[in-house]
């Protein structure tokens, strides 16, 4: 089977914190496992060829190849990058800094350039060609772009900038990067402008452009302190205490939440961080805040959804979610999908909620992602007539058909398929894809959270 046989990734609009949206991609379970397994084939080999690994953070191998999460958690790497940047910024050695990132980074990655760079990093020609072929299939035949929202894409994106990293470090600049967010420190304003031009030229050699709206030259230690040191100081302070002393850290998290949740506007990164900490401790302090703001938190839906799932069996949570989904304020398919996924962890739901899901599945004009998760929802809680409706609709849309596999077999959609063997049983095409990957290199590690 050719790699392009895995089919195209489905695009979806993902809300951003500024009220706009960006394009994300939804991969089917067999596509996701194949794509991730392909990156794992040479993950550790490429890691050995990175000259600037102490300055580059994001999705890089941190643990053994047998680990379920070889990259660690993105937050861990972001915090490490943030600590390194703050350490240099507070040293007092540099009087100027450049803050920038890449415009439309994932969309502009050139497959041909990426294939060449993989070969230069020690990847075999066969594996490099397979990556290029797979990406072309996922991107509907285009020769550029990476699917957004997948670990494998983040790994490839991190490697894509390796020539830029080498050039900047070899030029003698103090440089740190997290995926495409870059910080560069120099002695003065003139040096900063030269460094920015140098950085821009290296980006263009990779068919990339820097983001004008996010590019700034900071001059003077006071401005560096305000922009770099203070901006994320709240997260860093709470995170430090939380890591060192969980009990004391939780008290600090709760105190910070009470303060931050009353502010207008909120600090979006800080709210996201605090809500994740409350979720990790199954603390319902933020529950009322989230329920009252459904419809305004679509940019935070991927955090609010998992948080609400902890309390999905509570009647007031189900009533609030159902009421929102039926209201005119329900305008974000992205948020609706996460709310439906949250309610999958309930022990049972009211009949009226199931009737709503039947209506979503039956309406062909609905966004495919909504129909998918409504089908899984009915499979989790519905009766025979509900499952019959899912079965009827499954012949209309390939994505609904995939969801109906989960629904009709009564698979627990919260735990999902966490092992390769479990996936192969449900998706026969996956075996041939994986055999192709295994022919390129080494053992396949279990992949968690494939949905």
């Amino acid at each position: 089977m050719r790699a392009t046989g895995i089919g195209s990734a489905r695009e979806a609009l993902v809300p951003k914190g500024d009220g706009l949206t960006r394009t994300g991609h939804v991969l089917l379970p067999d596509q996701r496992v194949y794509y991730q397994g392909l990156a794992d084939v040479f993950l550790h080999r490429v890691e050995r060829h990175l000259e600037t690994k102490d300055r580059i953070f994001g999705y890089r191998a941190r643990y053994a190849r047998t680990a379920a999460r070889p990259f660690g958690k993105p937050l861990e790497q972001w915090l490490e990058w943030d600590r390194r940047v703050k350490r240099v910024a507070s040293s007092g050695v540099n009087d100027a800094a450049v803050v920038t990132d890449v415009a439309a980074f994932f969309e502009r990655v050139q497959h041909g350039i990426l294939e060449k760079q993989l070969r230069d990093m020690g990847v075999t020609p066969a594996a490099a060609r397979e990556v290029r072929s797979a990406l072309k299939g996922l991107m509907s035949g285009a020769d550029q772009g990476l699917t957004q929202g997948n670990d494998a894409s983040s790994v490839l994106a991190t490697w894509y900038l390796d020539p830029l990293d080498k050039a900047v470090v070899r030029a003698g600049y103090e440089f740190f990067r997290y995926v495409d967010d870059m910080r560069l420190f120099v002695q003065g304003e003139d040096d900063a402008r030269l460094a920015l031009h140098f950085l821009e030229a290296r980006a263009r050699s990779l068919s990339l452009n820097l983001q004008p709206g996010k590019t700034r030259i900071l001059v003077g230690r006071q401005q560096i302190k305000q922009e770099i040191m203070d901006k994320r100081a709240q997260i860093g302070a709470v995170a430090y205490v939380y890591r060192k002393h969980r009990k004391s850290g939780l008290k600090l998290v709760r105190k910070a939440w009470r303060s931050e949740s009353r502010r207008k506007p909120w600090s979006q990164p800080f709210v996201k961080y605090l809500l994740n900490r409350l979720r990790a401790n199954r603390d319902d302090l933020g529950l009322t805040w989230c329920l009252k703001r459904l419809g305004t938190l679509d940019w935070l839906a991927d955090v609010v959804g998992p948080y609400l799932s902890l309390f999905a069996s509570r009647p007031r949570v189900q009533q609030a979610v159902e009421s929102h989904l039926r209201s005119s304020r329900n305008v974000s398919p992205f948020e609706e999908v996460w709310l439906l996924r949250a309610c999958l962890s309930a022990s049972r739901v009211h009949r009226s909620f199931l009737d709503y899901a039947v209506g979503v599945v039956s309406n062909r004009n609905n966004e495919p992602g909504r129909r998918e998760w409504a089908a899984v929802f009915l499979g989790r809680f519905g009766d025979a007539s509900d499952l019959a409706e899912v079965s009827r609709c499954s012949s209309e849309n390939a994505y609904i058909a995939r969801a109906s596999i989960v629904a009709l077999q009564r698979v627990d959609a919260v735990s999902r398929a966490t092992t390769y063997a479990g996936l192969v049983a449900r998706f026969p095409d996956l075996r041939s894809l994986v055999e192709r990957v295994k022919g390129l290199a080494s053992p396949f590690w279990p992949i968690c959270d494939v949905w």
Side-chain angles (χ1 to χ4, degrees):
M1 177 181 285
R2 291 184 57 80
T4 51
I6 65 176
S8 302
R10 178 164 58 83
E11 291 190 355
L13 294 179
V14 181
K16 297 170 63 176
D18 53 11
L20 302 176
T21 59
R22 65 170 176 82
T23 301
H25 295 86
V26 180
L27 271 62
L28 296 173
D30 45 355
Q31 291 175 319
R32 183 179 291 271
V33 170
Y34 165 73
Y35 185 31
Q36 192 65 64
L38 190 57
D40 177 59
V41 165
F42 42 77
L43 176 66
H44 290 76
R45 183 181 305 168
V46 169
E47 183 72 13
R48 292 194 294 269
H49 283 76
L50 292 177
E51 295 180 12
T52 57
K53 62 180 66 177
D54 61 327
R55 299 168 181 268
I56 307 306
F57 302 89
Y59 286 75
R60 286 182 37 227
R62 292 171 64 93
Y63 305 109
R65 66 177 307 107
T66 55
R69 285 182 176 272
F71 319 116
K73 298 179 180 179
L75 179 60
E76 293 177 356
Q77 297 213 29
W78 181 89
L79 288 171
E80 179 61 28
W81 171 76
D82 192 51
R83 282 194 292 270
R84 294 291 301 276
V85 169
K86 286 179 177 178
R87 187 183 307 159
V88 174
S90 62
S91 66
V93 175
N94 304 285
D95 291 321
V98 175
V99 175
T100 188
D101 71 5
V102 178
F105 179 34
F106 279 61
E107 294 94 324
R108 298 289 299 277
V109 169
Q110 305 295 311
H111 299 166
I113 295 177
L114 179 61
E115 180 185 3
K116 179 181 182 301
Q117 289 177 192
L118 290 176
R119 293 189 184 193
D120 292 342
M121 291 176 169
V123 176
T124 63
R129 284 195 302 270
E130 186 78 6
V131 170
R132 184 174 183 176
S133 179
L135 289 175
K136 187 171 184 177
L138 290 171
M139 301 307 293
S140 304
D143 290 322
Q144 68 178 30
L146 299 174
T147 60
Q148 296 203 47
N150 303 286
D151 284 355
S153 290
S154 298
V155 172
L156 296 175
T158 298
W159 294 341
Y160 188 78
L161 289 175
D162 182 61
L164 181 149
D165 301 332
K166 290 178 180 176
V168 173
V169 172
R170 288 173 181 173
Y173 293 116
E174 194 75 63
F175 175 74
F176 301 95
R177 176 170 66 83
Y178 178 83
V179 188
D180 66 328
D181 285 335
M182 292 175 271
R183 306 290 183 267
L184 190 151
F185 297 89
V186 292
Q187 296 299 316
E189 183 175 0
D190 291 342
D191 290 340
R193 296 190 184 282
L194 289 173
L196 181 58
H197 290 318
F198 183 81
L199 199 61
E200 187 177 30
R202 298 311 306 171
R204 286 178 176 170
S205 71
L206 298 173
S207 298
L208 301 172
N209 293 303
L210 301 183
Q211 177 69 268
K214 296 183 179 180
T215 299
R216 301 186 304 282
I217 291 179
L218 310 178
V219 180
R221 296 176 187 177
Q222 183 62 30
Q223 189 176 12
I224 292 175
K225 180 178 184 298
Q226 290 175 347
E227 291 286 330
I228 294 180
M229 296 297 295
D230 295 341
K231 191 173 183 180
R232 305 267 182 167
Q234 291 175 302
I235 295 179
V238 175
Y240 178 80
V241 177
Y242 186 81
R243 287 195 310 273
K244 296 292 185 180
H245 307 284
R246 181 63 62 89
K247 189 174 181 179
S248 300
L250 180 57
K251 290 181 179 179
L252 186 58
V253 165
R254 290 175 60 87
K255 180 179 179 181
W257 174 263
R258 291 190 182 96
S259 173
E260 190 63 31
S261 61
R262 296 189 182 108
R263 293 176 186 242
K264 290 184 180 180
W266 322 293
S267 168
Q268 293 178 0
F270 198 32
V271 164
K272 188 172 184 178
Y273 172 79
L274 294 174
L275 204 54
N276 273 320
R277 299 289 75 74
L278 292 175
R279 177 169 66 91
N281 289 276
R282 307 183 70 87
D283 192 313
D284 66 357
L285 180 62
L287 184 59
T288 299
W289 186 87
C290 291
L291 294 178
K292 285 183 177 180
R293 289 164 177 78
L294 294 179
T296 64
L297 298 175
D298 58 347
W299 55 274
L300 196 61
D302 56 344
V303 176
V304 171
Y307 180 65
L308 293 181
S309 70
L310 300 175
F311 316 106
S313 293
R314 298 185 183 183
R316 79 180 182 106
V317 173
Q318 292 187 26
Q319 291 168 5
V321 170
E322 182 188 351
S323 175
H324 168 69
L325 293 180
R326 290 180 179 276
S327 73
S328 60
R329 294 181 296 113
N330 179 22
V331 296
S332 171
F334 179 75
E335 183 184 42
E336 178 169 353
V337 164
W338 276 103
L339 292 177
L340 286 172
R341 292 177 68 170
C343 291
L344 287 171
S345 62
S347 55
R348 62 181 183 177
V349 297
H350 294 293
R351 180 65 239 179
S352 60
F353 210 158
L354 293 172
D355 292 339
Y356 169 80
V358 170
V360 172
V361 171
S362 302
N363 187 346
R364 300 182 185 183
N365 294 323
N366 279 329
E367 198 270 336
R370 297 175 63 193
R371 298 183 74 198
E372 282 180 62
W373 285 99
V376 176
F377 187 81
L378 291 173
R380 176 79 168 84
F381 301 109
D383 55 23
S385 62
D386 298 324
L387 296 179
E389 180 65 18
V390 173
S391 181
R392 184 185 70 78
C393 293
S394 67
S395 60
E396 302 172 5
N397 183 294
Y399 295 105
I400 301 297
R402 296 288 186 168
S404 71
I405 293 174
V406 179
L408 296 176
Q409 293 186 359
R410 292 282 184 178
V411 174
D412 182 353
V414 176
S415 62
R416 307 178 188 94
T418 57
T419 63
Y420 162 58
L423 279 166
V424 169
R426 279 190 285 281
F427 301 98
D429 291 345
L430 178 62
R431 186 180 297 278
S432 58
L433 289 171
V434 170
E435 289 304 317
R436 188 176 182 86
V437 172
K438 292 172 74 173
L440 292 170
S442 58
F444 213 81
W445 44 268
I447 297 170
C448 298
D449 197 21
V450 296
W451 283 74

